[in-house]
Amino acid sequence: MKQTVYITRKLPEDIINTLSLHFHVRMWKEENIPVPRDILLKEVEDIDALICLLTDKIDEEVIGRAPHLKIISNVAVGYNNIDIAAAVKRGIQVTNTPGVLTETTADLTFALLMATARGVTTASEALRNGKWGAWSLMEFTGQDIFSATLGIIGLGRIGEALVKRAKGFDMNVLYYNRSRKQDKEQELDIHYAELNDLLQKADYVCLMIPYSTEVHHLIGKEELSLMKPTAILINTARGGLVDEDALYQALKNRDIWAAGLDVFEIEPVPADHHLLSLNNVVTLPHIGSASYKTRMSMAQLAVENVVSVLGGGEALTPVQM
Ligand code: GLV
């Protein structure tokens, strides 16, 4: 009998076709609306594999309802939406999609950094709203990127890819990582700094670490107070890394210059969110990996993980050790 796969969001047809050759496939048919919790809990009852997105909370309750489940394949590199301990306890393999999104996410991070530094969205909006009175010497002035100091928190794949872009702009690069990566320092021409030191020295602080409860609100009031008044915070990792109330105050008081945010504690962000009321914030709707090619590669890799594991093979990109 064919094994059953449930997909929590509409994936492109070509990708489903591969899966359907091997398995019985069911899918939530909406592209922009996550599967409701009650439907998810029902759908998992007889499945062997689950393909899910970062919007799906795959906790102990979901796992408990799926007695035959062998693999949870997340279409994302981050997997803080999944209760890994509960999966391990049940011997369920969890996979993610590292590698295929590295360069695309680094591109977006650098684009957000540049847009935030030069107030691109604010200036553009002003023009559209008829607020471009005359060319002015000091209006719409931002911060320079070339030769500035970039502080990267988390030197993983995406952090390293960001270094390459920064070097093209003659930036000095500092990094902080839980474990120092001395071999990378010479290779990439970067310098290690303790977290507080990095926060004090960097003109740009980019968060590039995965979220876990240990790093919840890693950037809070105290950390923001260490940053320069001209510094810019960029977050394309996870919203939970930053205390948004503390960030709002720091931006409002101009304790820091600006922030570029692709991610938020609660997504989608309500339109009346306090951070959206500030003109020194550039916001994006979590689009770090959103190039057509990369999103297709992520879906493809998620499917390949399922095909391999349900076929009795190894996961290609396992999350668990
Ligand atoms: C996106 O945020 C991802 O984790 O892939």
Side-chain angles (χ1 to χ4, degrees):
M1 211 177 79
K2 272 188 176 178
Q3 299 179 92
T4 301
V5 181
Y6 184 66
I7 308 171
T8 63
R9 200 74 69 87
K10 186 170 178 229
L11 293 190
E13 216 169 287
D14 288 358
I15 285 169
I16 305 301
N17 291 345
T18 325
L19 262 187
S20 305
L21 293 177
H22 306 271
F23 310 112
H24 177 60
V25 179
R26 292 199 308 265
M27 180 168 75
W28 173 244
K29 293 286 193 299
E30 298 286 343
E31 207 170 329
N32 298 321
I33 305 170
V35 61
R37 179 90 180 164
D38 56 329
I39 294 179
L40 175 66
L41 287 170
K42 192 105 205 78
E43 288 284 7
V44 298
E45 282 174 358
D46 64 339
I47 64 170
D48 298 281
L50 179 66
I51 298 180
C52 54
L53 303 193
L54 55 84
T55 46
D56 306 310
K57 193 171 165 58
I58 311 301
D59 55 12
E60 207 160 7
E61 188 186 16
V62 175
I63 291 169
R65 296 280 188 102
H68 312 295
L69 191 58
K70 296 173 191 66
I71 171 168
I72 300 167
S73 179
N74 210 33
V75 191
V77 68
Y79 47 85
N80 55 302
N81 56 312
I82 301 170
D83 185 338
I84 301 295
V88 168
K89 210 154 60 177
R90 277 272 315 282
I92 297 168
Q93 179 71 69
V94 180
T95 60
N96 64 342
T97 59
V100 293
L101 48 65
T102 301
E103 301 296 336
T104 302
T105 308
D107 277 351
L108 189 279
T109 304
F110 210 76
L112 183 55
L113 181 155
M114 294 186 78
T116 310
R118 297 296 299 271
V120 167
T121 50
T122 318
S124 173
E125 258 167 52
L127 178 152
R128 283 170 184 258
N129 294 332
K131 301 226 171 83
W132 184 16
W135 190 90
S136 146
L137 192 64
M138 297 312 287
E139 199 184 11
F140 302 131
T141 50
Q143 299 295 335
D144 279 323
I145 297 151
F146 73 93
S147 301
T149 297
L150 170 66
I152 298 179
I153 299 180
L155 193 71
R157 289 185 189 85
I158 304 171
E160 269 192 47
L162 190 64
V163 173
K164 285 193 258 162
R165 284 144 181 88
K167 287 291 167 185
F169 283 74
D170 269 345
M171 296 180 95
N172 302 314
V173 181
L174 303 176
Y175 79 99
Y176 166 74
N177 202 62
R178 208 171 28 177
S179 51
R180 188 170 170 175
K181 297 189 169 177
Q182 260 157 329
D183 54 325
K184 295 284 176 197
E185 291 171 20
Q186 207 168 6
E187 180 190 325
L188 300 171
D189 183 25
I190 59 178
H191 302 279
Y192 179 79
E194 290 300 332
L195 182 59
N196 286 356
D197 192 30
L198 179 148
L199 291 167
Q200 281 168 336
K201 290 183 178 151
D203 298 306
Y204 297 89
V205 174
C206 283
L207 298 174
M208 309 256 73
I209 47 168
Y211 176 82
S212 67
T213 47
E214 288 103 79
V215 285
H216 181 70
H217 288 186
L218 177 73
I219 302 298
K221 190 173 175 203
E222 216 176 297
E223 290 71 25
L224 289 160
S225 75
L226 296 174
M227 290 171 66
K228 300 179 192 179
T230 49
I232 290 172
L233 178 73
I234 303 294
N235 189 6
T236 54
R238 284 292 183 271
L241 295 169
V242 178
D243 177 344
E244 289 178 349
D245 291 334
L247 178 62
Y248 173 78
Q249 285 307 331
L251 288 163
K252 197 162 180 293
N253 302 339
R254 287 278 182 175
D255 296 334
I256 68 169
W257 185 268
L261 306 171
D262 183 42
V263 289
F264 297 85
E265 283 211 80
I266 295 171
E267 297 177 359
V269 181
D272 61 355
H273 192 286
H274 53 354
L275 282 167
L276 307 192
S277 68
L278 300 172
N279 66 5
N280 53 346
V281 180
V282 177
T283 52
L284 293 173
H286 202 149
I287 57 166
S289 61
S291 74
Y292 178 82
K293 192 164 150 243
T294 291
R295 287 283 168 87
M296 289 296 278
S297 302
M298 290 163 67
Q300 186 62 37
L301 179 54
V303 163
E304 284 167 12
N305 271 307
V306 167
V307 171
S308 182
V309 169
L310 290 192
E314 297 280 312
L316 307 180
T317 47
V319 161
Q320 294 110 316
M321 299 295 132

